[in-house]
Amino acid sequence: MSRRAVVALAAIAAAGGALAAGPGVARAQPAHLAPGDVPGGAIEDEPPVIELLTFGVGAKIFEKYGHAAICLRYHRPEHRPVCFNYGVTNFKAGSTIAWNFLRHQQKFWVEATSQAEMYRFYRWEDRDIWQQVLPITGADARAIEARLWNDVREENRYYYYDHFLDNCTTRLRDMIDQATHGALHAGADMPYPLTFRELGRRGLAGMPALLVASDLVAGRQIDQYPTVWQAMFHPDVFRREVATRLGAAPVLVYRRHGPAFPAGGSSGRLELLAVGLVFALPLAFAQWRRKGQRAALAWVTLELALLGAVVWGMAIISSIDAVRYNEAVLVFTPLDAALPFLAPGWRRRYALARIGMLAAVSLLAALGVLHQPLGILILVAFLPMATIALQLPLGLPLGLRGRAPAALESTGNLDAPATGQPAAIGPAQARDATDTSDARDASEARGASEASDTSKAREASDVREARGA
């Protein structure tokens, strides 16, 4: 899998966090050491103790996956323990950070900070803190020390962030694996039981809007199962694997005092279906009443065109493979924006073609050719198209026979049938027609009776005139 293959959920979470936070957001990382406090190499003759810190999730969106840092603990009291944080970026950048994530151009960097400041900051954020002393000594510990001090140099500190493949945790994973001569990677090529999408969605638990956005924007590559090694991008998995493979038991230094963050909840998909019904049902009602059809069609077109623009727009502008290769482009299309401008006959034919395409996508998903969770997305697109194609609810019998109501086939006016053409009518119109017919029959009967009386009077007058003669 390429390094740029699976970062879509990170773009959604980080971009959403940046936009929600805005320019007034509080500092998103602990204060770093001043340049004069950063040494150029080894501080003591004896190699330092190597410690791994992992942190629980926080309240901000970009804290929902946890965090990790690595620390050097020196032996002489005048040398403060120093931690290295690879998860630093400008979280105040607003919309710029969203654009950079989508283009895979968001720069992160490493900063050195005192361990005391690291503990103070994450206690202030009320996030769990675990500490693990790593079994790395001698020349291997010295190699990590040299690597860390070299990484904080201006020319070495920057990298392009990838949530799954190159983040604050994977950088530590690779470093520790090298220092332990492959002990962390050995036997870790077996599949992990969760997909990248499932691992990513756990961080967005309790945020159905972002979960729906991930279904729309994140493509098929994140529906693959990572190896255990790849799954160590997640700090919780990393901590467990370090404990299991290196024998470094985690010690809980600080436990969160606030309420636990949700670990599950709504997927957002039923909410998306409910929104789809809010847009689709007015069209069916308007067609039943034969009133307000133009407004209802414009209303449902707004939803379809917006979804199509988001899915296709993200696939076009993003340089991330997992956004560009998105199966949702087979479900939504910006071409749906043309619906109100098509003649009724062409509108129905277009809707029938879209239904056929959605049926093909459903079949491919059932056969396992398509991998993304498309079920609810297909329903959201199908409901308005079926309403248009079959003229639901009144046009259903005609639609099943493959014919549209003649009135709508022959005129562009959705709210009035063509002159001289039959049109389907609702119950109220049927009652009105019956009352009109009864009144017409009664009027004709009264006319006939009056004509008969006039004829009889004329005959009587003729008889009297004849007798007088």
Side-chain angles (χ1 to χ4, degrees):
M1 190 183 304
S2 69
R3 289 179 59 79
R4 302 175 68 183
V6 283
V7 70
L9 287 178
I12 296 165
L19 293 172
V25 66
R27 190 159 37 89
Q29 51 266 324
H32 58 86
L33 296 177
D37 296 330
V38 177
I43 295 178
E44 298 178 350
D45 293 336
E46 186 177 358
V49 176
I50 311 298
E51 296 179 349
L52 174 66
L53 299 182
T54 48
F55 307 94
V57 300
K60 302 180 182 70
I61 296 176
F62 47 78
E63 298 170 347
K64 291 301 182 183
Y65 297 94
H67 187 46
I70 194 168
C71 304
L72 304 177
R73 177 177 294 279
Y74 291 100
H75 304 279
R76 295 169 59 179
E78 63 267 27
H79 296 148
R80 296 178 298 170
V82 181
C83 297
F84 296 81
N85 177 10
Y86 283 82
V88 183
T89 193
N90 181 13
F91 289 102
K92 300 179 183 179
S95 58
T96 302
I97 193 173
W99 175 257
N100 287 341
F101 265 106
L102 291 173
R103 299 294 299 165
H104 197 258
Q105 296 173 350
Q106 182 61 31
K107 278 188 177 181
F108 273 60
W109 57 88
V110 57
E111 285 183 347
T113 185
S114 70
Q115 190 176 69
E117 167 63 14
M118 187 74 74
Y119 283 162
R120 184 206 65 78
F121 178 80
Y122 285 99
R123 284 191 177 102
W124 174 73
E125 286 207 327
D126 196 22
R127 296 170 65 178
D128 294 336
I129 305 174
W130 286 272
Q131 179 192 62
Q132 291 169 281
V133 178
L134 302 179
I136 301 174
T137 58
D140 296 326
R142 188 67 82 190
I144 284 186
E145 179 190 28
R147 165 76 179 275
L148 291 171
W149 289 123
N150 183 66
D151 279 359
V152 296
R153 296 172 64 90
E154 183 66 23
E155 64 270 22
N156 301 326
R157 62 195 307 226
Y158 298 99
Y159 69 99
Y160 289 107
Y161 181 90
D162 184 311
H163 179 69
F164 294 106
L165 302 176
D166 194 1
N167 67 9
C168 58
T169 304
T170 62
R171 295 231 151 193
L172 306 185
R173 177 200 64 186
D174 297 346
M175 191 183 307
I176 293 171
D177 184 62
Q178 184 177 6
T180 57
H181 308 282
L184 193 58
H185 198 167
D189 290 330
M190 65 184 70
Y192 193 75
L194 300 176
T195 67
F196 281 108
R197 187 184 298 274
E198 290 166 338
L199 279 167
R201 288 176 69 88
R202 291 170 65 182
L204 302 178
M207 293 179 283
L210 285 180
L211 290 171
V212 168
S214 71
D215 282 347
L216 289 170
V217 173
R220 60 180 286 142
Q221 292 190 356
I222 67 168
D223 289 294
Q224 299 176 7
Y225 286 91
T227 64
V228 172
W229 171 256
Q230 291 172 324
M232 289 188 217
F233 83 88
H234 198 291
D236 288 348
V237 179
F238 184 45
R239 179 176 61 252
R240 291 196 300 267
E241 294 301 321
V242 166
T244 300
R245 297 170 183 275
L246 303 183
V251 175
L252 185 62
V253 176
Y254 176 82
R255 182 184 295 278
R256 172 178 168 80
H257 291 90
F261 292 106
S266 171
S267 68
R269 290 166 184 163
L270 289 180
E271 286 87 341
L272 177 61
L273 179 59
V275 171
L277 289 171
V278 167
F279 280 91
L281 288 178
L283 180 59
F285 183 75
Q287 291 183 166
W288 176 61
R289 295 288 298 172
R290 290 295 182 205
K291 291 182 180 179
Q293 291 167 269
R294 287 186 179 278
L297 180 61
W299 173 245
V300 76
T301 299
L302 175 65
E303 175 206 28
L304 295 173
L306 179 61
L307 291 173
V310 168
V311 171
W312 278 84
M314 297 286 276
I316 292 171
I317 67 174
S318 179
S319 61
I320 304 170
D321 287 346
V323 177
R324 296 173 63 190
Y325 303 112
N326 183 2
E327 294 168 0
V329 300
L330 302 176
V331 178
F332 298 111
T333 171
L335 295 178
D336 290 346
L339 280 170
F341 308 101
L342 296 175
W346 284 107
R347 185 183 303 116
R348 178 176 175 273
R349 294 183 187 97
Y350 175 86
L352 286 171
R354 291 280 282 119
I355 289 174
M357 184 174 182
L358 293 172
V361 171
S362 300
L363 178 60
L364 292 174
L367 294 175
V369 177
L370 303 180
H371 304 294
Q372 291 178 221
L374 299 176
I376 297 298
L377 304 186
I378 291 172
L379 274 176
V380 169
F382 172 80
L383 290 173
M385 292 302 165
T387 303
I388 294 170
L390 303 178
Q391 284 296 304
L392 298 176
L394 293 178
L396 181 58
L398 294 172
L400 291 177
R401 294 197 299 270
R403 303 200 310 273
L408 293 181
E409 289 285 359
S410 60
T411 179
N413 187 351
L414 289 175
D415 294 324
T419 303
Q421 296 292 335
I425 60 174
Q429 290 89 335
R431 288 193 299 271
D432 292 343
T434 300
D435 294 342
T436 301
S437 177
D438 292 343
R440 186 184 300 112
D441 292 344
S443 177
E444 291 175 354
R446 287 194 299 272
S449 176
E450 291 173 358
S452 176
D453 293 343
T454 301
S455 176
K456 291 178 179 179
R458 185 179 299 112
E459 289 176 0
S461 177
D462 291 343
V463 168
R464 286 194 300 272
E465 292 177 0
R467 288 174 179 175

